[in-house]
Amino acid sequence: MAEFSQKRGRQRDEVLGSTVDFLLANARLVLGVGGAAVLGIATLAVKRLIDRATSPRDEDDAKGDTTCLEESWKELTLLKTTPRLQPRTPPAALSQPASLPAPLPSAPEGPSDTEPQPLPQPSSPAPLCLTFQEKLLVFERDHVTIPEAHVALAKQLAGDIALELQAYLRNKFPELPFGALVPGGPLYDGLQGGAASRVRLLVPLVLEVGLWGLVPGVDTVARDPRCWAVRRTQLEFRPRGSSPWDRFLVGGYLSSRVLLELLRKALASSVNWPAIGGLLGCLIRPSVASEELLLDVQHERLELTVAVLLAVTGADAKDRLLLAWPLEGLAGNLWLQDLYPAEAARLRALDERDAGTRRRLLRLLCGVCRGHPALGRLDRCHLTQVVLRLGEEEVDWAEAALGERFLQALESLIDSLERASLPCHFNPGVNLLSGLREEEIDDIGFALYSGLQAPECLL
């Protein structure tokens, strides 16, 4: 009986072996080398399982259980690491009908010339955690850096609008000597972050030499240190009417409010913005909700706000820049001194002196505050004063210390909020926090203090 079972087992093994050899021989033709290898390993594993299930256990099998188990794990590993067949690449033109592949000619069973593909090398694992410096640089890359194409497009649109508006002013008010309109602002000085969303367009007034003088705002009834009054002089020799700007005098002073109203009406009702926008490939609309003179520009690639600023330049030896700004109360006819050009020039000079990152820090602070519900009350002017104060100190301003300088700026802001005092860098008599209510200062201070404890939450 035992001999009959052994003979029957040998016959079954011979039949199974012939079947496996037939399958493997034909699989190479159909599946290729890689597919045949997978099928062969799988068939071999199944064959071993059948052998162990049908063959009687003897002492050698009992001793070799551990060896067979290890071989099974090796076979499973081979199954996982065997290179799989790569899918076909899609045709170049999907609109064209794909032709059916020609049948492959039968090949002899000799060894294939195709070399096995190397196994993909495992990539180095990503770091589990980043330092604050690294997170800050990632935030700068994703939320602060502006694509060069957007910067170039915004400058081109601002320049074209300046030319069109200058031609309109010369035709509409030929008696008023306006100077050349000059676009500028943070976008031009490398201080704009996040998006190319705002441009300053200066409309300078050409005043006659010797007929105008400046009076500090603290010496007027407004007692405002931020402002200056433009006074008409030489009335004994050049009476009123001698200058085309005399029609905008209020109490012997050139009124910024009257000039603002004149230009506001012109921009809102007289300028043919649809035609200009069609010529420039964009949509231009004057903003009627803002007290400033703003032009909303919508292009298919970006949205831009152009702030039109009436300016008085060169009225004194120090060449101060004065803007017609919508001020309230007794200061309504005064001109606001604009310190932005001096601040931008100072930051640039400090960075060029030691290859520092002060302007990058300002962009990062603006990017963080812009999207925060409480910190959004801090504008660029507030943040510039903090960076200028820190920038004057002899500390490390290399890129590696950018995270440390960021935290130091938060500490400086908290200190200013606790004292409710943030003096202007070029005019210490001006407190830039005077326009904020006590509740707003508390909200900003709490947000900054929380951010200082966990600065990653601000990014």
Side-chain angles (χ1 to χ4, degrees):
M1 186 67 180
E3 293 179 357
F4 176 76
S5 299
Q6 292 177 0
K7 177 185 289 187
R8 186 175 180 180
R10 286 195 298 270
Q11 292 176 356
R12 183 172 62 252
D13 293 342
E14 291 176 359
V15 172
L16 183 58
S18 301
T19 304
V20 170
D21 294 339
F22 176 79
L23 288 174
L24 293 178
N26 290 275
R28 182 176 301 176
L29 297 177
V30 178
L31 302 178
V33 178
V38 174
L39 180 60
I41 295 174
T43 307
L44 182 59
V46 174
K47 180 177 178 298
R48 288 192 178 185
L49 292 176
I50 295 175
D51 289 343
R52 285 198 292 269
T54 56
S55 60
R57 290 178 58 88
D58 52 8
E59 295 180 358
D60 295 338
D61 292 340
K63 294 178 182 180
D65 281 345
T66 304
T67 304
C68 293
L69 184 60
E70 293 175 357
E71 291 179 354
S72 298
W73 280 110
K74 291 180 181 179
E75 292 165 359
L76 183 59
T77 305
L78 288 175
L79 278 172
K80 292 182 178 180
T81 57
T82 303
R84 299 181 180 180
L85 295 177
Q86 300 295 330
R88 294 180 181 270
T89 57
L94 296 179
S95 59
Q96 299 178 358
S99 59
L100 296 177
L104 296 175
S106 59
E109 295 185 6
S112 175
D113 296 335
T114 304
E115 297 181 358
Q117 298 180 358
L119 296 179
Q121 298 295 330
S123 58
S124 58
L128 298 179
C129 59
L130 299 176
T131 64
F132 176 68
Q133 169 81 9
E134 293 170 337
K135 292 181 179 180
L136 194 63
L137 295 179
V138 171
F139 177 81
E140 179 185 33
R141 180 196 63 193
D142 296 340
H143 302 284
V144 177
T145 303
I146 307 176
E148 291 295 333
H150 288 188
V151 175
L153 177 59
K155 291 182 179 180
Q156 179 182 354
L157 289 175
D160 294 339
I161 292 175
L163 293 177
E164 295 293 335
L165 186 56
Q166 181 171 330
Y168 163 80
L169 291 177
R170 290 179 177 176
N171 294 330
K172 180 68 175 180
F173 309 104
E175 73 283 1
L176 297 179
F178 289 103
L181 275 61
V182 181
L187 185 66
Y188 288 76
D189 298 318
L191 300 177
Q192 183 80 25
S197 58
R198 189 177 179 92
V199 171
R200 293 159 43 109
L201 184 58
L202 294 183
V203 183
L205 280 62
V206 180
L207 302 180
E208 296 84 356
V209 179
L211 293 187
W212 306 92
L214 299 185
V215 178
V218 293
D219 295 338
T220 64
V221 294
R223 302 295 181 186
D224 194 335
R226 304 173 300 165
C227 305
W228 292 76
V230 181
R231 183 176 58 186
R232 175 69 156 84
T233 61
Q234 300 293 332
L235 291 175
E236 308 85 20
F237 308 100
R238 303 280 298 274
R240 289 192 179 189
S242 313
S243 171
W245 303 109
D246 286 343
R247 54 186 283 201
F248 304 105
L249 292 178
V250 174
Y253 295 90
L254 183 63
S255 174
S256 61
R257 177 180 295 173
V258 177
L259 280 167
L260 272 176
E261 290 302 320
L262 174 71
L263 192 56
R264 184 190 306 276
K265 293 178 180 178
L267 295 180
S269 58
S270 299
V271 182
N272 190 356
W273 293 118
I276 296 177
L279 181 65
L280 302 181
C282 60
L283 181 64
I284 306 176
R285 295 175 180 174
S287 177
V288 296
S290 175
E291 294 184 355
E292 303 178 52
L293 302 181
L294 302 179
L295 300 176
D296 296 328
V297 182
Q298 293 183 354
H299 191 270
E300 61 180 2
R301 296 172 57 188
L302 58 83
E303 293 184 0
L304 184 67
T305 299
V306 179
V308 182
L309 303 173
L310 284 167
V312 171
T313 60
D316 63 347
K318 293 186 178 181
D319 197 18
R320 291 183 176 89
L321 177 62
L322 306 178
L323 301 179
W325 200 258
L327 301 172
E328 298 178 356
L330 297 175
N333 291 314
L334 301 183
W335 295 74
L336 181 68
Q337 183 177 3
D338 184 26
L339 297 175
Y340 169 77
E343 295 167 350
R346 182 58 181 166
L347 286 175
R348 181 171 57 253
L350 290 173
D351 277 346
E352 291 175 353
R353 184 179 65 185
D354 56 8
T357 57
R358 297 167 183 84
R359 288 175 291 179
R360 291 179 64 181
L361 175 60
L362 179 58
R363 292 196 299 266
L364 284 168
L365 291 173
C366 291
V368 168
C369 294
R370 182 175 55 249
H372 197 279
L375 300 182
R377 299 183 180 95
L378 295 174
D379 57 20
R380 181 181 301 275
C381 186
H382 298 105
L383 302 175
T384 301
Q385 309 309 314
V386 176
V387 176
L388 279 172
R389 185 188 308 170
L390 296 177
E392 300 285 354
E393 300 178 1
E394 295 295 336
V395 294
D396 185 10
W397 281 99
E399 180 181 356
L402 187 58
E404 184 179 354
R405 299 286 82 79
F406 182 88
L407 299 178
Q408 191 177 0
L410 297 185
E411 294 177 354
S412 179
L413 273 172
I414 293 175
D415 180 67
S416 298
L417 290 169
E418 289 177 349
R419 294 181 289 105
S421 174
L422 182 60
C424 180
H425 186 76
F426 291 101
N427 191 356
V430 177
N431 180 16
L432 298 177
L433 295 181
S434 61
L436 296 177
R437 301 191 306 271
E438 184 177 355
E439 298 80 6
E440 294 176 335
I441 292 179
D442 291 340
D443 293 341
I444 297 172
F446 178 76
L448 288 175
Y449 182 79
S450 302
L452 192 60
Q453 303 303 315
E456 294 85 0
C457 299
L458 294 176
L459 304 180

